[in-house]
Amino acid sequence: MKDLALSRRGLLAAGLATGAASVAAAADSPVGKGPRTVRVLSIDGGGMRGVVPATFIDALETMSGKPITELFDLFVGSSTGALLALGLNVPDANGRPKYAAKDIIKLYDDSGPIIFNKRKGLLEWTAGITKPTYDPTGFEALLTRYFGDVTIADAIRHVAVPAIHLEEMNMEIFTRRAAQKSPDYNFTMRSLVRAATAAPTFFPAASISSTNGARMGTYLDAATSTNNPAVIGLAESGVVYKDDRVVMVSLGTGSISKPIDAMRAKNWGEIEWVQAVFDLQNDAQSSYTERVLKDFLLDAERDMFFRFQIGLRDIPVAMDETRKDHLDFLKETSALEIKRRLPEVRQLLDRLMV
């Protein structure tokens, strides 16, 4: 079983490394000698529902008394997960985390209307059809204020963030590893968050360039194909840390899981499908990724897979929902789920606090 898990992980890492434009050829050296436990935190996309994983991370920080960067070695985030993964890895002047999860929760609470600011003069029924629904100007100013000129090379821990490169029609994975090896792959965190959250119909695509101007491109949110980026995290851990033990923690942003009337959907056109396709794609891809990871991390004594998710079938909170009562509902539901699974969370902390 161990050999099978290791060989699969190695093949996955090799395949992703050769397929992603931002992944450099050589790997960082693992810390220390012999097998160690590599702790990977993967965060799904989901817009304002990012408050769900932020609430879980806040619980881990509170229960452990440690910043999340002392509990994990590698962070990977898709869309709003990129905001969390990078935001939690911003260093202060002393190299310590500048922000805790509670700070990002406050960001969601206070800045939703700034992030999702509708374009002036855009008719309700044309929103997202003729033009992107939201004007990114306020969001970009918020990112500048939050991240400043910090780059991914400055991240406290290893970080991986995917985005879709429009010109090359592929997924590019931005990593601290590649950025520290070459300035050609170093981008400001604020530009990467903007690129990683450029969800089609919601925001315009983002044109960004590396800090030295050597690489540039126009990007879209990778959550359209990879809302749950845990497989990217598993692959990156294989590149960086080789065949060490893996504790994979995968955080969802709420599963809509709302059945689609098959007979009605058979005759849907573009307008009907565009309203349902994001939730359909995200839930289907996330559930598939969860099954794959359970298969990859076969040995319970060696590896560990923990998935945190809440159900939103009864109250399907949209990714651009900014109303306080809805955000409070997400936080309260997350807290109840943490309480329900408290023995598991404590067991997880035992594995993380190495």
Side-chain angles (χ1 to χ4, degrees), residues 46-66:
M48 293 297 292
R49 299 202 306 259
V51 76
V52 173
T55 300
F56 183 83
I57 295 168
D58 181 48
L60 291 186
E61 291 187 324
T62 300
M63 292 172 67
S64 67
K66 297 177 178 290

Side-chain angles (χ1 to χ4, degrees), residues 136-149:
T137 305
F139 183 34
E140 290 168 354
L142 180 69
L143 293 177
T144 299
R145 188 163 69 250
Y146 192 88
F147 289 98
D149 292 324

Side-chain angles (χ1 to χ4, degrees), residues 320-328:
D320 56 349
E321 177 60 74
T322 62
R323 286 174 290 182
K324 182 180 183 302
D325 58 335
H326 284 67
L327 296 181
D328 288 344

Side-chain angles (χ1 to χ4, degrees), residues 182-200:
S182 169
D184 291 359
Y185 294 97
N186 194 21
F187 292 75
T188 61
M189 287 189 180
R190 68 171 187 269
S191 68
L192 292 181
V193 174
R194 175 67 180 86
T197 57

Side-chain angles (χ1 to χ4, degrees), residues 29-225:
S29 298
V31 178
K33 296 180 179 179
R36 55 159 284 173
T37 298
V38 179
R39 303 158 299 173
V40 182
L41 180 61
S42 172
I43 311 172
D44 288 12
M48 293 297 292
R49 299 202 306 259
V51 76
V52 173
T55 300
F56 183 83
I57 295 168
D58 181 48
L60 291 186
E61 291 187 324
T62 300
M63 292 172 67
S64 67
K66 297 177 178 290
I68 202 69
T69 51
E70 291 186 18
L71 299 178
F72 289 93
D73 306 291
L74 168 63
F75 293 70
V76 56
S78 186
S79 192
T80 199
L83 171 63
L84 278 157
L86 291 169
L88 293 167
N89 275 278
V90 174
D92 65 14
N94 299 312
R96 300 282 296 168
K98 185 175 181 180
Y99 304 111
K102 64 181 180 182
D103 298 312
I104 301 185
I105 291 173
K106 189 175 188 304
L107 178 76
Y108 284 117
D109 285 341
D110 296 346
S111 304
I114 297 173
I115 297 170
F116 290 101
N117 179 32
K118 283 196 174 180
R119 290 175 178 272
K120 293 180 180 179
L122 195 63
L123 296 175
E124 189 71 28
W125 67 271
T126 64
I129 298 176
T130 59
K131 288 183 179 180
T133 304
Y134 298 106
D135 180 352
T137 305
F139 183 34
E140 290 168 354
L142 180 69
L143 293 177
T144 299
R145 188 163 69 250
Y146 192 88
F147 289 98
D149 292 324
V150 174
T151 70
I152 192 172
D154 299 322
I156 296 170
R157 292 290 195 174
H158 281 286
V159 182
V161 171
I164 302 296
H165 194 302
L166 283 181
E167 290 92 345
E168 297 181 3
M169 291 295 287
N170 68 7
M171 182 187 296
E172 186 161 349
I173 301 168
F174 301 91
T175 67
R176 188 191 79 164
R177 174 174 56 83
Q180 289 183 342
K181 289 181 180 298
S182 169
D184 291 359
Y185 294 97
N186 194 21
F187 292 75
T188 61
M189 287 189 180
R190 68 171 187 269
S191 68
L192 292 181
V193 174
R194 175 67 180 86
T197 57
T201 76
F202 288 87
F203 291 109
S207 295
I208 64 173
S209 61
S210 59
T211 53
N212 67 357
R215 290 181 58 80
M216 59 189 65
T218 301
Y219 295 87
L220 285 177
D221 188 336
T224 52
S225 63

Side-chain angles (χ1 to χ4, degrees), residues 236-286:
E236 181 69 5
S237 74
V239 174
V240 175
Y241 297 103
K242 304 302 183 183
D243 287 332
D244 293 346
R245 298 181 180 91
V246 173
V247 173
M248 169 67 72
V249 177
S250 175
L251 306 181
T253 57
S255 174
I256 300 297
S257 300
K258 186 178 181 180
I260 292 176
D261 187 323
M263 295 305 295
R264 290 177 58 197
K266 284 174 62 176
N267 297 308
W268 278 1
E270 182 176 340
I271 293 176
E272 291 89 350
W273 272 115
V274 79
Q275 296 172 351
V277 73
F278 277 107
D279 289 334
L280 178 64
Q281 281 183 277
N282 292 350
D283 282 359
Q285 187 272 331
S286 290

